[in-house]
C-alpha cells in the first residue's frame, strides 16, 4: 500500500452565518491560501490495528487508542472503520499538518476532517464520494460545534463557493467577476459553539426579534447571490456591511471586530463584516486590487494580528 496524501482548504462565510443555523441560506467560499494536509503511511512492520497519529500543530503524537473516545480524530476513524466494515485497520501512521489558524472561523476542524477522510479513502481504496466526505465531516463538526448548520463541511468538501441552505441540495455559485477579499484576524478567539449557544438563548428569549433578524439576513443572502452571479461588487459590498450590522444587532460582534470593519470602510473597502461565529475571530472585507495593500496596512495598524488576502475567482477561470 503506497502512502496517500490529501489536502483541503480553509473557508470563510461570506453571508448568512448564525441565520443558517435556523434554516436560512448562507454563502461561503473556500480559502485556498491556507490548507490542511493529511498523509497516511503504511507501517509494514506494525501489527494489524496499530494506528498512530502525529500533528505538530496541535501537539499530537500518539496511538489512536490513547485518544479520548470523543476526540474528533478517533471518533472519525472509528466511524469509518465501522461504516466500511473493517474489523481492524491495517497498521498505518497518519500525519496531519495545517496552515489554518485554530478557532479563527476559517474552518480548521472541517478541513482536517475532509483531508483525513480523503487520505484514508485513498489509502484503503474506499472511493468515498464527495457527499459522503461531507456527511462524515459533518458528524465530526457536531462534536466541535454542538449544532452545526453543515456549511463548513460542505464548502470545504466541494472547495467552491456555495449557496447553502440546510436540508437542500448544495448549489455551487457562478462567479462573474473576481472578488478580492481580505481576512483580518482580531486576535481574540471565541469558540463557535459558545456564540451559537448564546444566540440560541437570545432567540429563545426574544423569538420574534431574532426571527425577523434572520429573515432580513435571508434577503441579504439572496441579493448577494445575484450580485456574485452578475458581478455587481459595489452592491455586494453594501450588502456585506448591512449583514454585519444585523450581526451586531444579534450581539455577536465585538468592539475589536467593529473597529476592524470601520477601519476597512474608512480606507475605501466596498464592504466589511465579521465572518463566522463572531465575538472574536475574523472580519472579511471586500477590496479592489488597488485598495488591497493600503487596507491591509490599515487593518494591521488598527490591531489585526494577521491579514490574509483571498480571491474568489470567476467560475470559468
Ligand atoms: O465560526 P465558524 O466559521 O465555524 O462559523 C460558524 C457559522 C455559524 O453559522 C455561526 C454556525 C454554523 O454551524 O453555521
Amino acid at each position: 500500500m503506497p502512502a496517500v496524501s490529501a489536502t483541503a482548504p480553509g473557508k470563510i462565510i461570506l453571508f448568512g452565518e448564525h441565520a443558517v443555523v435556523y434554516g436560512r441560506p448562507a454563502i461561503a467560499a473556500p480559502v485556498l491560501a491556507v490548507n490542511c494536509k493529511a498523509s497516511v503511511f503504511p507501517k509494514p512492520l506494525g501489527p494489524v490495528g496499530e494506528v498512530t497519529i502525529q500533528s505538530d500543530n496541535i501537539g499530537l503524537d500518539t496511538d489512536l487508542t490513547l485518544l479520548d473516545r470523543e476526540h474528533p480524530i478517533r471518533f472519525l476513524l472509528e466511524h469509518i472503520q465501522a461504516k466500511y466494515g473493517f474489523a481492524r485497520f491495517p497498521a498505518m501512521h497518519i500525519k496531519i499538518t495545517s496552515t489554518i489558524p485554530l478557532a479563527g472561523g476559517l474552518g480548521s476542524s472541517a478541513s482536517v476532517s475532509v483531508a483525513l477522510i480523503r487520505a484514508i479513502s485513498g489509502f484503503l481504496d474506499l472511493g468515498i464520494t464527495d457527499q459522503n466526505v461531507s456527511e462524515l465531516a459533518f458528524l465530526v463538526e457536531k462534536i466541535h460545534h454542538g449544532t452545526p448548520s453543515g456549511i463548513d463541511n460542505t464548502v470545504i468538501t466541494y472547495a467552491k463557493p456555495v449557496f447553502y441552505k440546510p436540508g437542500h441540495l448544495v448549489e455551487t455559485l457562478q462567479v462573474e467577476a473576481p472578488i478580492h477579499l481580505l481576512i483580518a484576524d482580531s486576535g481574540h478567539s471565541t469558540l463557535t459553539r459558545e456564540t451559537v449557544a448564546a444566540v440560541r438563548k437570545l432567540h429563545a428569549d426574544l423569538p420574534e426579534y431574532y426571527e425577523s433578524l434572520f429573515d432580513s439576513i435571508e434577503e441579504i443572502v439572496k441579493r448577494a447571490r445575484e450580485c456574485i452571479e452578475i458581478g455587481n461588487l459595489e452592491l455586494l459590498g453594501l450588502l456585506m456591511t448591512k449583514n454585519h450590522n444585523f450581526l451586531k444587532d444579534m450581539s455577536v460582534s465585538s468592539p475589536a471586530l467593529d473597529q476592524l470593519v470601520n477601519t476597512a470602510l474608512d480606507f475605501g473597502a466596498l464592504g466589511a463584516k465579521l465572518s463566522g461565529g463572531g465575538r472574536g475571530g475574523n472580519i472579511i472585507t471586500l477590496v479592489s486590487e488597488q485598495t488591497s495593500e493600503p487596507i491591509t496596512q490599515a487593518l494591521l495598524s488598527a490591531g489585526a494580528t494577521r491579514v490574509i488576502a483571498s480571491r474568489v475567482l470567476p467560475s470559468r477561470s
Side-chain angles (χ1 to χ4, degrees):
M1 268 175 188
V4 174
S5 295
T7 59
K11 73 98 214 334
I12 39 169
I13 297 191
L14 293 175
F15 293 93
E17 51 275 269
H18 286 291
V20 68
V21 176
Y22 297 81
R24 291 1 183 244
I27 297 174
V31 177
L32 305 175
V34 289
N35 68 20
C36 172
K37 179 176 179 186
S39 305
V40 185
F41 303 91
K43 288 175 109 177
L45 301 179
V48 174
E50 183 178 273
V51 179
T52 47
I53 323 258
Q54 185 193 350
S55 177
D56 295 345
N57 301 86
I58 49 171
L60 205 63
D61 190 2
T62 182
D63 193 282
L64 183 66
T65 53
L66 297 179
L67 292 176
D68 194 84
R69 280 202 174 275
E70 283 301 295
H71 188 287
I73 293 178
R74 178 164 180 187
F75 170 85
L76 177 58
L77 290 173
E78 290 188 346
H79 192 85
I80 292 175
Q81 185 178 349
K83 184 174 164 81
Y84 292 90
F86 286 87
R88 283 183 295 170
F89 280 133
M92 58 189 178
H93 177 66
I94 296 170
K95 190 169 177 198
I96 299 171
T97 54
S98 176
T99 57
I100 307 176
L102 293 173
L106 293 182
S108 73
S109 58
S111 184
V112 169
S113 298
V114 168
L116 182 55
I117 296 162
R118 290 212 168 114
I120 292 281
S121 174
F123 185 75
L124 300 173
D125 205 12
L126 301 178
I128 303 181
T129 60
D130 284 348
Q131 192 184 337
N132 282 336
V133 168
S134 186
E135 282 171 12
L136 284 166
F138 179 65
L139 295 178
V140 183
E141 287 302 282
K142 282 190 183 168
I143 300 179
H144 285 289
H145 291 231
T147 52
S149 64
I151 193 166
D152 280 21
N153 47 287
T154 302
V155 63
I156 288 171
T157 297
Y158 293 95
K160 292 200 174 119
V162 295
F163 180 89
Y164 176 82
K165 189 166 166 148
H168 289 68
L169 283 180
V170 184
E171 295 178 62
T172 55
L173 283 181
Q174 290 302 311
V175 178
E176 179 59 27
I179 301 171
H180 294 267
L181 296 164
L182 298 174
I183 305 165
D185 193 332
S186 66
H188 308 276
S189 63
T190 299
L191 291 174
T192 300
R193 73 156 62 234
E194 285 175 17
T195 51
V196 169
V199 172
R200 186 171 312 113
K201 176 152 191 328
L202 290 161
H203 177 258
D205 292 345
L206 298 166
E208 278 169 25
Y209 177 61
Y210 271 76
E211 284 295 320
S212 76
L213 288 175
F214 299 151
D215 285 343
S216 304
I217 289 175
E218 173 163 12
E219 283 315 305
I220 290 176
V221 172
K222 288 180 178 163
R223 291 180 71 194
R225 176 189 189 154
E226 288 163 16
C227 289
I228 291 170
E229 290 180 339
I230 62 172
N232 186 343
L233 298 182
E234 274 77 22
L235 184 53
L236 190 68
L238 293 175
L239 292 169
M240 214 175 233
T241 310
K242 239 179 149 182
N243 193 163
H244 180 73
N245 289 332
F246 283 121
L247 288 161
K248 255 170 100 169
D249 293 346
M250 217 186 267
S251 97
V252 293
S253 192
S254 70
L257 291 169
D258 291 341
Q259 157 123 0
L260 293 177
V261 164
N262 291 334
T263 301
L265 296 174
D266 287 349
F267 279 77
L270 295 172
K273 65 183 275 293
L274 72 86
S275 177
R279 294 193 180 168
N282 291 278
I283 66 130
I284 56 172
T285 176
L286 182 59
V287 299
S288 65
E289 260 176 298
Q290 293 71 32
T291 57
S292 178
E293 190 46 39
I295 295 176
T296 298
Q297 291 311 323
L299 288 168
L300 290 170
S301 302
T305 52
R306 181 191 48 236
V307 178
I308 297 171
S310 181
R311 289 182 304 170
V312 183
L313 292 175
S315 314
R316 56 186 171 276
S317 65

